[in-house]
Amino acid sequence: MRVRAIGVNLFDAKVRSGAMEAVFRTPLPALLGIELAGVVDEVGAGVTELAAGDEIFGLSAGGAYAELAVASVVAKKPKGLSWELAASLAVAGETATRVLDALAVQRGEMLLVHGGAGVVGSVAVQLARLRGARVIATGSAANQALLASLGATPVVYGDGLVARVRALGAPVDAVFDAAGKGALPDSIELRGGKTRIVTIADPSAHQLGSRSRRAPPRCATSPSCGPWPS
Ligand SMILES: NC(=O)c1ccc[n+]([C@@H]2O[C@H](COP(=O)([O-])OP(=O)(O)OC[C@H]3O[C@@H](n4cnc5c(N)ncnc54)[C@H](OP(=O)(O)O)[C@@H]3O)[C@@H](O)[C@H]2O)c1
């Protein structure tokens, strides 16, 4: 594809610094970058859902910081979305989608999102609302209005969180911790157990008996990689 914008993700900075070498080896010379947006110039064998000229965004297969790059997991870019915003959505969107799938969030259920104003959290709130779920999202006092504008019931994080969430009067069906700031004990209390709680950022989860899981990246919208919901 012909690249129009790239995302400079925190992951890229970790790779660039060498901090990821133990789990993600980067032989030099290396082409960095995983998030991109641009125009299809050629499709690989077996690709039937895309054609030259399509505007897409997603993940690169071997480096995004380039004029021409090979994309792996992609979705079609809505016309109204800028190249820059599209390029910044791929990792956060894929992460949020994968966690919502792992939690099996259903229409009408109540999802608690820790860090709902963050990069991943804000995408998760919106995608959960699109699935028909109700969302309580934690954030700083300064981000309460933002959380409400995304469709969540906002709650300030920190001491007393369990009581503040309970005061809203809706049992929590699932928890997405996108902050990693020690909210797991509160989450377990609110859930009444350890099921349907996923963290992407809290290493203490292992001490609480969690299982780690990895899955291949998938399309942020559907297995057939349709357009991003607009
Ligand atoms: N960005 C990605 O694509 C991506 C993908 C996979 C995994 N991750 C990992 O996921 C984590 C979050 O990444 P991010 O990029 O979304 O970070 P981010 O934009 O910095 O968001 C983190 C959020 O955590 C909230 N927060 C701060 N202190 C908190 C506390 N004590 N309790 C609850 N929430 C608190 C902040 O809320 P306020 O702003 O309201 O203070 C902030 O919005 C990181 O560990 C990252 O490595 C990120």
Side-chain angles (χ1 to χ4, degrees):
M1 63 184 280
R2 190 161 291 281
V3 178
R4 295 292 299 269
I6 57 161
V8 181
N9 197 282
L10 186 58
F11 179 78
D12 298 343
K14 289 179 181 169
V15 170
R16 195 171 59 233
S17 74
M20 298 298 290
E21 279 306 283
V23 288
F24 189 85
R25 268 196 52 69
T26 307
L28 298 174
L31 186 58
L32 292 175
I34 44 178
E35 296 181 308
L36 38 60
V39 182
V40 174
D41 64 333
E42 199 177 317
V43 294
V47 175
T48 55
E49 296 174 7
L50 294 173
D54 283 348
E55 297 184 350
I56 58 172
F57 69 101
L59 305 174
S60 72
Y65 296 6
E67 290 166 343
L68 288 164
V70 178
S72 56
V73 180
V74 298
K76 286 185 180 167
K77 184 182 84 64
K79 285 284 174 214
L81 191 65
S82 71
W83 292 112
E84 292 81 2
L85 275 179
S88 71
L89 266 178
V91 175
E94 194 276 330
T95 302
T97 300
R98 196 186 320 171
V99 173
L100 294 176
D101 286 351
L103 289 169
V105 174
Q106 306 292 320
R107 176 171 295 279
E109 287 191 323
M110 179 60 84
L111 174 71
L112 171 62
V113 178
H114 295 291
V119 175
V120 178
S122 61
V123 177
V125 169
Q126 294 171 80
L127 291 180
R129 295 290 291 135
L130 278 172
R131 289 176 184 218
R134 295 167 295 145
V135 178
I136 297 169
T138 73
S140 59
N143 277 330
Q144 299 295 287
L146 170 67
L147 291 172
S149 76
L150 297 178
T153 300
V155 178
V156 176
Y157 53 66
D159 287 348
L161 179 69
V162 170
R164 284 193 293 284
V165 172
R166 285 201 173 130
L168 296 171
V172 172
D173 297 304
V175 180
F176 183 165
D177 175 21
K181 301 287 183 184
L184 291 178
D186 283 353
S187 304
I188 292 167
E189 201 176 333
L190 284 164
R191 281 283 303 126
K194 293 182 181 175
T195 58
R196 299 189 76 191
I197 302 172
V198 171
T199 180
I200 58 169
D202 194 336
S204 77
H206 291 289
Q207 284 132 40
L208 295 165
S210 81
R211 290 172 297 130
S212 298
R213 50 185 283 173
R214 282 171 193 241
R218 48 152 291 183
C219 176
T221 51
S222 73
S224 61
C225 289
W228 185 264
S230 45

